[in-house]
């Protein structure tokens, strides 16, 4: 749609409509009506795609995140293939932490592994502040992508302080987050010092992406669901609020976690425009907890994509209907695409959501 067909800009002297800021995705984030419910998938760029596996064949994960031409190509792959309404930057939550001087690697099949887990105040001190020059490859990749993507919005992202702290304290992925919680309960001062340092790194990393032109950002607090609401409010909320509040309202801010049904209200309060919801909480229930001034994102169980199509279709229809209770809905999974997912099913889901939610243009 252009101003020529609506005449709006001509009347109001506003800039030309169109472009990513006027896309269905950004409109839904801002709780504005759009032509259809937008769709993207967490981990849409990744191992479910043969073209991804091919291009990554001999390149370690962290290195691939530092090569702007590779980042650009991998980010574009799911947009070309599925027709999703947004791209998400190909990177990883530990990229800024590595740029801050932490010795770590991303091990295939395991995830981030930290050489010397954080134990002391001196360990926290060694996490350096970062600026644009420390992540110039991200700045360059975003600038290239904004040109390549045209009207399709690019989502920037970062890991939230709790989830990053979990990797740094545990030394790697953890099911119980036991060492992390032991530090949090046992030495709250050190905990807050660590999270404050991580919040600075995260805020700077997101600001680089915004300055380079991303249309929205998502803060991944993937493992925050391990906490009670009281502990979340005491130990985590101030730090995530620092990040989201520090960004201001220039681009929509999405705040996501897994198993966070009890935390949805608090995660909204941290300063989100959109709250990500996993598959455990129906979207109509979620929006009741989050309130009328925020959009929701979610929440198809990624394992449903492994079931026969009629099952997938029924679940997509249910989620679209429950999403109508929210003031804005971005269709997504409740967590990332599993590597064994048939990419053709993802393409069909995009088409189905668009078809079910198509609204006539004014
Ligand atoms: O498409 C996208 O969503 C963008 C790319 C993206 C990756 N990681 C690429 C990646 C994003 C947004 C992330 C964020 C991320 N990384 C999170 C938050 C999202 C979530 O899943 O909750 C977390 C917790 C991480 C840490 C991490 N990195 C894990 C748990 C793993 C998986 C380890 C494995 O191999 O199973 C990674 C590695 C990783 N990050 C891969 C990709 C495509 C797989 C590495 C590969 O392809 O070799």
């Amino acid at each position: 749609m252009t101003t020529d067909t609506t005449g709006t800009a001509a009347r109001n002297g506003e800039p030309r409509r169109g472009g990513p800021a006027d896309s269905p995705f950004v409109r839904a984030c801002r709780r504005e009506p759009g032509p259809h419910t937008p769709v993207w998938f967490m981990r849409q760029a990744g191992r479910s795609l043969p073209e991804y596996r091919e291009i990554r064949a001999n390149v370690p994960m962290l290195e691939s995140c530092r090569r702007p031409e590779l980042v650009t190509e991998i980010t574009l792959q799911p947009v070309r293939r599925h027709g999703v309404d947004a791209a998400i930057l190909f990177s990883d939550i530990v990229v800024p932490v590595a740029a801050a001087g932490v010795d770590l690697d991303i091990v295939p099949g395991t995830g981030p592994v930290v050489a010397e887990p954080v134990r002391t105040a001196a360990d926290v001190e060694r996490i350096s502040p970062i600026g644009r020059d420390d992540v110039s490859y991200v700045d360059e990749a975003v600038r290239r992508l904004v040109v390549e993507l045209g009207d399709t919005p690019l989502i920037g992202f970062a890991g939230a302080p709790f989830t990053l702290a979990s990797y740094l304290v545990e030394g790697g992925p953890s099911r119980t987050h036991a060492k992390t919680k032991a530090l949090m309960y046992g030495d709250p001062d050190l905990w807050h010092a660590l999270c404050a340092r991580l919040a600075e790194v995260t805020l700077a990393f997101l600001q680089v992406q915004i300055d380079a032109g991303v249309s929205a950002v998502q803060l991944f607090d993937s493992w925050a669901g391990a906490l009670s609401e009281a502990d979340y409010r005491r130990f985590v909320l101030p730090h995530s609020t620092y990040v989201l509040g520090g960004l201001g309202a220039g681009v929509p801010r999405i705040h996501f976690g897994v198993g966070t049904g009890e935390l949805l209200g608090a995660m909204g309060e941290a300063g989100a425009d959109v709250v990500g919801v996993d598959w455990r909480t129906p979207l109509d229930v979620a929006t009741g907890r989050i309130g009328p001034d925020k959009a929701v994102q979610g929440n198809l169980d990624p394992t449903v994509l492994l079931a026969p199509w009629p099952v997938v279709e029924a679940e997509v229809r249910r989620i679209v209907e429950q999403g109508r209770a929210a003031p804005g809905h971005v269709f997504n999974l409740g967590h990332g695409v599993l590597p064994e997912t048939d990419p053709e099913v993802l393409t069909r889901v995009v088409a189905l959501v668009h078809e079910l939610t198509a609204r006539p243009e004014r």
Side-chain angles (χ1 to χ4, degrees), residues 200-226:
E200 291 292 356
V201 169
T202 295
L203 177 58
F205 187 58
L206 290 172
Q207 198 62 58
V208 168
Q209 297 173 60
I210 291 173
D211 292 345
V214 298
S215 293
V217 292
Q218 177 156 325
L219 189 64
F220 280 95
D221 211 349
S222 302
W223 313 139

Side-chain angles (χ1 to χ4, degrees), residues 42-45 47 52 56 61 88-93 106 108-112 157 167 220 222-223 335:
M42 289 182 276
R43 291 287 171 93
Q44 64 190 16
R47 285 172 295 180
Y52 170 82
R56 275 287 323 282
M61 178 66 192
I88 180 158
L89 179 72
F90 179 76
S91 187
D92 195 85
I93 57 167
I106 300 178
T110 301
F157 74 91
Y167 284 109
F220 280 95
S222 302
W223 313 139
H335 199 182

Side-chain angles (χ1 to χ4, degrees), residues 123 191 204:
D123 296 336
W191 171 259

Side-chain angles (χ1 to χ4, degrees), residues 20-36:
D22 197 34
S23 61
F25 166 75
V26 172
R27 296 177 73 102
C29 291
R30 297 205 183 282
R31 294 172 284 125
E32 294 166 6
H36 58 254

Side-chain angles (χ1 to χ4, degrees), residues 125-158:
E125 281 303 313
R126 277 196 292 275
I127 305 171
S128 313
I130 63 165
R132 200 206 66 88
D133 291 348
D134 301 297
V135 286
S136 55
Y137 40 85
V138 169
D139 173 75
E140 188 183 333
V142 170
R143 288 177 196 277
R144 285 180 186 220
L145 277 162
V146 168
V147 174
E148 294 276 342
L149 283 162
D151 288 350
T152 302
L154 176 64
I155 304 169
F157 74 91

